[in-house]
Amino acid sequence: MRTQLVTTKIMQATLILTFPETDTSDEVSRKSLENLANQLGLSELATVHRALRLLAQQRLVEVHSDDGPLSSEYREWLQNEANKLIEPGPKIWKKRLF
């Protein structure tokens, strides 16, 4: 049997969490959440957000914004550097990788 529900408003959506009576390999009980929140000195909601943030940092690729298009000078330099690495002779160009 599952116990209490916790809801949080995220971008106009509600997330409902249900808790098992005891911890499992994939879930934590409400009591474990309460204990963890007390140890961290956070609310239960802040504890859930922190746990999700840590998991996201471990698992999701972080995409950094770039500085916009490459300048002509940099493109020319990059092409020259690439040309140094490309063997002379005819090339086969493909539109698909596989």
Side-chain angles (χ1 to χ4, degrees):
M1 181 176 154
R2 296 190 173 263
T3 57
Q4 299 177 308
L5 303 176
V6 174
T7 61
T8 182
K9 199 142 183 157
I10 300 174
M11 290 196 230
Q12 304 301 322
T14 299
L15 175 66
I16 299 174
L17 300 175
T18 59
F19 296 90
E21 295 234 1
T22 59
D23 292 345
T24 68
S25 61
D26 293 321
E27 300 175 309
V28 296
S29 65
R30 181 68 184 263
K31 187 65 178 165
S32 290
L33 176 59
E34 289 173 6
N35 290 339
L36 186 57
N38 287 335
Q39 283 183 4
L40 295 172
L42 300 171
S43 69
E44 291 178 9
L45 180 59
T47 301
V48 169
H49 280 290
R50 180 169 295 179
L52 290 172
R53 184 70 225 142
L54 290 172
L55 185 61
Q57 288 171 339
Q58 291 174 358
R59 297 293 184 162
L60 299 179
V61 175
E62 188 172 340
V63 178
H64 299 283
S65 60
D66 61 27
D67 297 330
L70 302 177
S71 68
S72 318
E73 295 83 18
Y74 185 74
R75 287 174 51 119
E76 184 179 340
W77 173 85
L78 191 58
Q79 185 64 60
N80 290 334
E81 291 299 307
N83 288 340
K84 293 176 191 176
L85 300 173
I86 297 174
E87 295 179 18
K91 310 294 181 268
I92 299 173
W93 298 96
K94 291 188 173 187
K95 290 187 179 187
R96 290 179 25 176
L97 183 57
F98 299 105

